């Protein structure tokens, strides 16, 4: 996989006068000294749904402890105690509120950290939640039922102040009924894998995730949904962006989606008092990720096909996004699950991005 510097081209590829970045393997470390994770709303764009962390900045392991899924209790002898039915139901509601859809296997991975026994606890809990009208299943991923909250389940979480405010968050039921359940399940797998292997705390950070987050700029008509956003700040950025392809998109379409992030990052807006010349500023830094020093890194995860085919798509994507001026890391889901390093296929270059997108539209 060191040979990811390829010569493939695509219609999504754009000219770039500067030398193109080479591909290198990189490992991501858990956040050490995070800044505040509060993200301001987009004052000038009603289509933007702000990413909001559950609380103010936290320090050490106590950050978010009150809203995280609790770790399984252990007895004095060091053995895990059997979770109570009410506790499993509450944890399942919180998890579905974060990731939107999940299978029993995925919920057991987080709630009980057990295999077959854990699944039986969760399965019974989901049957009870369905009877209460708080959760439902609308499709399957293979043989596994896909669960999601009902509007009543979302309201129960909101009434209990269990999660940070999430405007316009859907239940995911329509997507599952339409046949897009496997993609949503793969997004959940990506979230759980990244949280476990990089953040090293599936429960502690689960409430920092949001799915299907809209990014839009009305002036240009650009609008796209990010599959998942992690609001755990680093020293330079408030969030990390995640885009997953479950093997259903063409290579050109996948490349275009990645380039859309650069178009979003490159858009500039005018600011200045009346009667003054003013100046242009990045839209994202003024109205979306206001505490970030750099545009958030985009993580692209490839899934849904045999591993050798995923490797081919990774090579093609690497070639198609050469010259892009945002930070892009890519990996396949199987490699991510094995804890293998990411591939850096795009480097943040604000100076080159400014040349490519010099002026605000309509000024």
């Amino acid at each position: 996989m060191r040979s990811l510097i390829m010569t493939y081209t695509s219609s999504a590829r754009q000219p770039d006068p500067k030398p193109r970045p080479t591909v290198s393997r990189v490992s991501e470390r858990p956040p050490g000294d995070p800044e505040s994770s509060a993200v301001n709303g987009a004052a000038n764009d009603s289509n933007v749904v702000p990413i909001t962390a559950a609380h103010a900045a936290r320090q050490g392991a106590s950050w978010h402890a009150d809203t995280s899924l609790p770790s399984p209790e252990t007895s004095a002898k060091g053995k895990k105690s059997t979770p109570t039915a009410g506790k499993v139901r509450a944890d399942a509601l919180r998890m579905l509120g974060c990731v939107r859809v999940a299978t029993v296997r995925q919920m057991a991975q987080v709630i009980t950290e057990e295999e077959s026994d854990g699944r039986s606890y969760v399965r019974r809990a989901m049957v009870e939640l369905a009877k209460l009208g708080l959760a439902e299943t609308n499709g399957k991923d293979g043989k596994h039922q896909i669960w999601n909250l009902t509007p009543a389940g979302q309201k129960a979480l909101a009434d209990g102040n269990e999660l940070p405010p999430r405007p316009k968050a859907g239940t995911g039921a329509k997507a599952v009924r339409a046949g897009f359940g496997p993609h949503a399940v793969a997004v959940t797998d990506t979230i759980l894998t990244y949280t476990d292997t990089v953040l090293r705390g599936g429960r502690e950070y689960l409430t920092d995730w949001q799915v299907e987050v809209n990014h839009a700029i009305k002036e240009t008509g650009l609008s796209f949904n990010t599959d998942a956003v992690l609001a755990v700040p680093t020293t330079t950025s408030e969030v990390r962006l995640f885009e997953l392809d479950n093997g259903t998109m063409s290579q050109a379409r996948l490349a275009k989606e990645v380039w859309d992030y650069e178009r979003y990052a490159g858009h500039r807006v005018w600011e200045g008092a009346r009667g003054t010349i003013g100046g242009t500023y990045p839209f994202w830094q003024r109205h979306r990720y206001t505490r970030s020093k750099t545009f958030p890194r985009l993580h692209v995860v490839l899934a849904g096909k045999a591993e050798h085919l995923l490797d081919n798509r990774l090579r093609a994507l690497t070639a198609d996004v050469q010259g892009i001026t945002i930070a892009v890391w890519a990996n396949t889901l199987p490699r991510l699950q094995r804890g293998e390093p990411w591939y850096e296929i795009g480097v943040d270059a604000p100076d080159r991005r400014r040349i490519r997108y010099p002026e605000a539209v309509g000024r």
Side-chain angles (χ1 to χ4, degrees), residues 25 42 51 59 67 72 76 84-85 164 166 201 241-242 311 316 343 356:
R25 300 185 71 175
I51 304 298
Q59 295 181 357
T67 57
T84 64
R166 295 183 176 179
L241 310 173
F242 290 78
D311 289 344
Y343 290 84
R356 187 172 291 173

Side-chain angles (χ1 to χ4, degrees), residues 278-320:
T280 61
Y281 301 90
F283 170 86
W284 65 268
Q285 203 165 36
R286 275 299 196 261
H287 301 301
R288 190 60 184 264
Y289 302 117
T290 58
R291 300 187 182 184
S292 295
K293 298 177 182 178
T294 60
F295 186 75
R297 181 192 303 140
L298 174 63
H299 298 74
V300 181
V301 180
L302 307 177
K305 291 182 177 292
E307 193 161 357
H308 72 282
L309 297 178
L310 295 180
D311 289 344
N312 291 340
R313 289 177 72 83
L314 181 55
R315 293 187 183 97
L317 180 64
T318 300
D320 288 343

